[in-house]
Amino acid sequence: MTTSTILITGGAGFIGSHVVRLFVTKYPQYKIVNLDALTYAGNLENLKDIEAAPNYQFEKGDITDEAAMQQLFARYAFDGVIHLAAESHVDRSISDPLQFVKTNVLGTANLLNVARKAWANAFSGKRFYHVSTDEVYGSLGEEGFFTEETAYDPRSPYSASKAASDHFVMAYYHTYHFPVVMSNCSNNYGSHHFPEKLIPLMINNILHKKTLPVYGKGENVRDWLWVEDHAKAIDLIYHTGKEGEKYNVGGFNEWKNIDLVHLLCSIMDKKLGRNEGESASLISYVTDRPGHDLRYAIDATKLTRELGWKPSLQFEEGLEKTVDWYLNNKDWVEHVTSGDYKKYYQAQYEQKS
Ligand code: NAD
Ligand code: TYD
């Protein structure tokens, strides 16, 4: 018996696919609808293992399309939304900022509005969970952490678009008493991560003995969290987070980019039977990203204190697991780098419809 019908947006992407898998397997009594536009970042191969589950349904659609979202909400009586669909890569936001405004700002505002109207201002038992990033807080110096009270100070078109979407979410809470909850998470890593982001890009380049492009001096610091720990935090916050509140999620795990790249090189030298230092010789310092934020570090004590969440994996262990996944799934990487993954949707879905 279905006890709850949940819309997950962006479920074919990196984090979304982990959230969909967790919800579909942990809650057989829920109906999980995955809505995704299948942009370059959306890959249904990420969900092959659960796509036949009776409580899972994929819907192709664009969050910026008002009529399509209205039809979706009319077709399913959603009890909740977990909203992850977004443009997510800072470098792409620098070359194409308006796409980020469209998807992240307009798309989120559209989804909020369609949900508000579909739920006819009767919000009891409903929940709209917006998944955001720590990048909205801007850039830290050597000291300090982002808390939930840190003022927003976005500095890239990506983080500005996410900050704007966060403001719309909170505006809906204050204006309409719309039942929102929100989280801001640090950098994720793990399986199914598109190889344009630092960790999967470096793994792929080390494997193929290609140059490892480190921006600037490699001194920038990121706080890395195992993607499955983020998915578990989302589960916890969706079910037990307080309405109208936001929660920071982070790994308590800061790394300078250059140290992280060296660690990856040394893990992979061992796994690939190379001499120690062989992969590190591929490192090349390249022109810095414009406006490159120096340091992100999350204070996640509110989430730990109030909801009892803690990251489960040590970074070295998580990184090894991630490298193993990429080495055991070379087909996946080949498909996403060659564009073949688009054919999976055509074979699975278009020929059936
Ligand atoms: P991703 O780029 O891997 O996936 C995004 C997904 O959204 C893709 O499947 C894509 O097809 C889909 N999408 C894009 N535009 C769409 C549209 N208009 N309509 C419907 N679907 C659309 O992103 P990710 O890394 O999995 O991030 C997911 C969410 O988590 C984002 O909101 C991001 O801001 C946030 N976040 C990411 C990180 C991180 O480290 N990756 C950290 C904190 C927060
Ligand atoms: P990225 O994975 O793009 O995440 P974000 O910019 O959202 O934190 O980049 C992580 C860090 O790695 C960031 O400081 C930029 C840096 N970086 C490189 O040095 N080289 C690269 O090729 C990439 C993609 C990122």
Side-chain angles (χ1 to χ4, degrees), residues 119-327:
W119 292 339
N121 291 316
F123 301 141
S124 171
K126 303 286 195 270
R127 172 145 278 200
F128 188 106
Y129 181 171
H130 177 61
V131 176
S132 193
T133 167
D134 61 353
E135 304 193 24
V136 298
Y137 297 122
S139 181
L140 290 165
E142 308 267 305
E143 306 270 305
F145 295 91
F146 298 133
T147 73
E148 288 79 1
E149 277 71 51
T150 303
Y152 278 25
D153 183 23
R155 295 151 50 100
S156 74
Y158 165 62
S159 54
S161 68
K162 290 297 289 188
S165 68
D166 291 12
H167 288 317
F168 269 97
V169 169
M170 292 317 295
Y172 267 60
Y173 173 67
H174 291 295
T175 308
Y176 306 108
H177 306 294
F178 191 65
V180 307
V181 69
M182 189 165 95
S183 59
N184 295 79
C185 188
S186 64
N187 288 62
N188 286 213
Y189 72 95
S191 70
H192 304 91
H193 203 181
F194 198 85
E196 65 182 354
K197 306 278 173 73
L198 180 73
I199 290 181
L201 181 133
M202 293 296 167
I203 292 174
N204 196 34
N205 285 13
I206 292 170
L207 182 63
H208 294 101
K209 298 192 175 178
K210 283 166 55 180
T211 300
L212 309 180
V214 172
Y215 297 167
K217 295 183 178 142
E219 299 279 316
N220 305 69
V221 173
R222 298 292 182 263
D223 172 2
W224 293 95
L225 178 68
W226 174 242
V227 63
E228 293 182 27
D229 281 333
H230 187 192
K232 284 182 194 157
I234 289 173
D235 177 16
L236 193 64
I237 295 166
Y238 179 78
H239 287 99
T240 62
K242 240 176 108 192
E243 194 166 299
E245 297 266 324
K246 70 205 290 267
Y247 297 86
N248 281 355
V249 189
F252 303 101
N253 177 42
E254 291 180 51
W255 283 79
K256 274 190 186 163
N257 292 339
I258 188 62
D259 296 339
L260 168 49
V261 173
H262 274 290
L263 177 58
L264 267 179
C265 287
S266 124
I267 291 175
M268 288 190 66
D269 278 343
K270 285 197 195 88
K271 290 197 186 285
L272 298 169
R274 294 182 187 165
N275 295 326
E276 179 68 36
E278 199 175 327
S279 299
S281 68
L282 300 166
I283 291 173
S284 165
Y285 292 94
V286 299
T287 308
D288 208 354
R289 172 187 281 172
H292 196 171
D293 289 339
L294 177 66
R295 175 171 164 255
Y296 303 144
I298 276 279
D299 177 349
T301 50
K302 174 179 174 183
L303 182 58
T304 303
R305 192 182 57 241
E306 294 187 9
L307 306 186
W309 176 88
K310 273 205 308 267
S312 70
L313 269 194
Q314 289 299 314
F315 190 50
E316 283 80 353
E317 189 189 350
L319 215 49
E320 281 226 22
K321 274 177 178 253
T322 304
V323 169
D324 286 340
W325 187 85
Y326 279 90
L327 294 181

Side-chain angles (χ1 to χ4, degrees), residues 9-16 35-43 61-64 83-89 103 131-134 158 162 184-189 193-194 196-197 230:
T9 72
F14 166 48
I15 301 171
L35 179 274
D36 199 296
L38 300 183
T39 68
Y40 80 95
N43 181 358
D62 186 333
I63 55 165
T64 66
H83 174 40
L84 296 109
E87 289 291 340
S88 68
H89 189 40
T103 302
V131 176
S132 193
T133 167
D134 61 353
Y158 165 62
K162 290 297 289 188
N184 295 79
C185 188
S186 64
N187 288 62
N188 286 213
Y189 72 95
H193 203 181
F194 198 85
E196 65 182 354
K197 306 278 173 73
H230 187 192

